[in-house]
Amino acid sequence: QVQLVESGGGLVRPGGSLRLSCVASGLSFSIYHMGWYRQAPGKERELVATIAWRGTTNYADFVKGRFTISRDKAKNTVYLQMNSLKPEDTAGYYCNAKHPVSSADFWGQGTQVTASS
């Protein structure tokens, strides 16, 4: 069974930092594209960052220069380092795994990030 389990969310002051983790199991992690998405109440889910199986990364414009996505294939884990957090970053953050051939994808349960004073 495929499982994606996110952790690392929490409450921080604007300008603070968090590192999110997503541990994958039940899939061939090294060949999947991975990504982070977020969804705030009343809004659509939006892409934050992706990392392809060979390591290439892409970021939404609103996080460039602040967030960094990375992966550790030995640990089956993808990370999202979040710096200079803003109130508008407040959302549930979800881990995604997508097969590069079949496009089958999987989602984690999410972890809440709140940047508030």
Side-chain angles (χ1 to χ4, degrees):
Q1 294 180 336
V2 174
Q3 281 193 305
L4 303 174
V5 180
E6 302 98 330
S7 62
L11 174 64
V12 298
R13 300 295 191 189
S17 297
L18 289 171
R19 189 176 76 155
L20 307 184
S21 299
C22 171
V23 180
S25 61
L27 53 74
S28 298
F29 179 78
S30 64
I31 66 170
Y32 273 71
H33 303 313
M34 304 297 297
W36 287 96
Y37 294 71
R38 71 187 188 187
Q39 187 169 22
K43 296 184 178 180
E44 298 290 327
R45 186 169 296 189
E46 61 185 352
L47 187 148
V48 176
T50 61
I51 183 165
W53 73 278
R54 299 190 73 174
T56 55
T57 58
N58 288 283
Y59 298 91
D61 287 342
F62 54 80
V63 303
K64 286 182 178 178
R66 298 191 297 124
F67 294 4
T68 303
I69 189 171
S70 62
R71 67 194 298 166
D72 186 334
K73 293 183 178 181
K75 297 181 178 180
N76 286 4
T77 301
V78 61
Y79 303 95
L80 185 68
Q81 178 66 47
M82 310 168 68
N83 299 326
S84 301
L85 283 160
K86 303 175 181 179
E88 52 263 43
D89 294 319
T90 297
Y93 283 71
Y94 298 86
C95 181
N96 172 261
K98 185 175 183 178
H99 195 279
V101 176
S102 72
S103 295
D105 63 350
F106 305 93
W107 294 92
Q109 83 289 345
T111 185
Q112 179 67 33
V113 171
T114 302
S116 175
S117 60

